[in-house]
Amino acid sequence: MRRSTAPLTVLALALALTGCGAKVSGDGSDAAAGRHPANASGRYPVTIENCGTRTTYDRAPRRVVTNDVGITEIMFALGLENRMAGYVMPDDKGDLDGLPWKAAYDKVPRLSKKALTKEMALDARADLVFAGWNYGFGEDNGLTPAALKKLGIGSYVLTESCHNGTDGGARGVMPPLEALYTDLTTLGKIFGVEDRAEALVKKYKKQVAGAAAKAPAPARRPSVFLYDDGRDRPFTSGKYAGPHDIITKAGGDHVMKDLKDSWTTVGWETVVDRDPDVIVINNYGDTSAARKKAFLESYRPLAGASAVKHHRIYVMDYAELVESPRNPAAVSDLARYLRGVRKGG
């Protein structure tokens, strides 16, 4: 990622404005905007743990910058658009019209359709950046919680993306849906909207349980492979990315359930050997779902795979498959499809 160097005067101003880090100063605009004023009902300070790091907030952040669709919609689902300074999101993440958060998307500024940078956070006068490892944060681009802390800007890391210690790049520390519930609950505490967070978690768990209750016995579950992209080596989901729980709760057997990572690459020989009954395509990016499907159907090593032979290739949107409020509905939708698939047939 290329990034420009912020002028020293801008940097100095930003440090002056946000030097307190998580201890964000408030003003009288909170009550007028229908938000919880700092220290109302004695709720602050609050201490939370996020990806192994404990942080204390003396008051709720007021100028949050988010990266990508799922993270942005977590904020919207919690009703926190008034706490946002903007979001960064490419154009390849699907149609936003018709979503329950359409009004929030219209209200919150879109800062860029490219990659999130420190300069964007500074220009937006952010007091908190909500992103994930390889979902905005990265050692290679210099945008890390540690780098932002030096600028006086706080960070919240998407739980799906927490580094897990297996090796330098592996991510994921808990089941994917549990990561969603954890982030909703923790953010609810940070922003003083615990009741709303609790209601969302209860609703999502009920929705997922309804789909899971109709799943076949384990021995009869069709096997499912998630195809994100890639020709020489496919990019896919391990046990800690959203598709694992979506597939499993929907009644499928995730063929990469033994992969202790979130999103990563595997070899085609592994896919062929595990012979999935269904392939789910992640629809996003420069390569359309139609082109991805055409590749899978024409790729000679996959010609004997059950999913290809029986034309069982199912398309899902990116925002359904990364950690987001769309995950529970995605479980229900995939479950309906899988109920029509017979394992090995």
Side-chain angles (χ1 to χ4, degrees):
M1 180 188 303
R2 293 188 179 90
R3 58 183 178 84
S4 60
T5 302
L8 292 177
T9 53
V10 174
L11 180 61
L13 175 61
L15 285 168
L17 288 169
T18 62
C20 58
K23 298 179 179 180
V24 182
S25 60
D27 57 34
S29 64
D30 281 353
R35 300 187 294 250
H36 296 284
N39 295 313
S41 305
R43 86 165 39 87
Y44 295 99
V46 296
T47 300
I48 59 94
E49 183 169 323
N50 171 229
C51 290
T53 298
R54 291 175 65 83
T55 303
T56 298
Y57 291 83
D58 284 346
R59 61 197 72 230
R62 295 188 300 118
R63 297 192 60 81
V64 182
V65 169
T66 59
N67 182 75
D68 213 1
V69 59
I71 292 170
T72 300
E73 290 179 5
I74 287 173
M75 291 291 289
F76 291 165
L78 287 167
L80 295 173
E81 56 267 25
N82 286 337
R83 294 286 186 177
M84 294 177 63
Y87 67 93
V88 174
M89 189 167 68
D91 266 340
D92 63 359
K93 301 303 165 63
D95 185 6
L96 303 180
D97 292 334
L99 293 175
W101 312 289
K102 177 64 167 59
Y105 271 116
D106 290 340
K107 180 177 182 178
V108 178
R110 188 176 196 161
L111 305 179
S112 177
K113 296 180 180 180
K114 297 182 180 179
L116 176 63
T117 67
K118 288 185 289 187
E119 288 72 32
M120 289 177 196
L122 286 170
D123 288 345
R125 295 183 294 116
D127 53 19
L128 184 77
V129 171
F130 181 10
W133 287 111
N134 293 5
Y135 293 56
F137 292 136
E139 299 289 352
D140 56 340
N141 61 15
L143 182 66
T144 65
L148 289 172
K149 184 177 181 180
K150 292 179 180 179
L151 300 176
I153 302 173
S155 299
Y156 187 91
V157 179
L158 186 74
T159 296
E160 181 184 76
S161 74
C162 295
H163 286 138
N164 68 25
T166 301
D167 59 53
R171 295 171 292 164
V173 293
M174 64 180 69
L177 285 172
E178 193 62 35
L180 172 63
Y181 305 149
T182 295
D183 284 334
L184 288 168
T185 301
T186 304
L187 291 164
K189 186 176 181 181
I190 292 171
F191 289 94
V193 290
E194 296 96 330
D195 289 349
R196 185 174 181 86
E198 183 180 353
L200 285 173
V201 171
K202 183 178 180 180
K203 172 187 173 182
Y204 294 156
K205 285 184 175 180
K206 182 178 180 181
Q207 189 171 9
V208 171
K214 299 175 183 178
R220 295 176 48 237
R221 295 187 172 203
S223 57
V224 183
F225 172 67
L226 185 284
Y227 177 61
D228 182 284
D229 207 345
R231 299 299 188 264
D232 295 335
R233 288 170 58 85
F235 195 66
T236 189
S237 161
K239 68 181 293 185
Y240 293 126
H244 173 74
D245 267 358
I246 292 169
I247 291 167
T248 302
K249 301 297 186 184
D253 177 18
H254 182 207
V255 299
M256 295 299 169
K257 60 182 178 288
D258 58 336
L259 188 59
K260 296 180 180 179
D261 203 341
S262 59
W263 296 92
T264 189
T265 55
V266 296
W268 280 116
E269 62 276 9
T270 303
V271 181
V272 171
D273 182 63
R274 298 186 182 189
D275 188 19
D277 295 305
V278 175
I279 296 176
V280 172
I281 289 177
N282 186 2
N283 185 22
Y284 82 106
D286 294 333
T287 305
S288 68
R291 289 177 60 194
K292 290 178 183 180
K293 182 178 180 181
F295 166 74
L296 293 170
E297 292 177 332
S298 64
Y299 187 55
R300 190 173 297 276
L302 284 176
S306 180
V308 174
K309 284 194 302 183
H310 296 284
H311 308 288
R312 292 193 293 251
I313 298 177
Y314 184 75
V315 178
M316 300 182 72
D317 285 339
Y318 172 91
E320 296 177 300
L321 294 168
V322 296
E323 183 190 322
S324 81
R326 302 195 207 186
N327 295 156
V331 173
S332 299
D333 291 343
L334 181 59
R336 280 191 289 271
Y337 175 81
L338 292 181
R339 285 197 288 271
V341 176
R342 184 165 60 88
K343 179 178 176 61

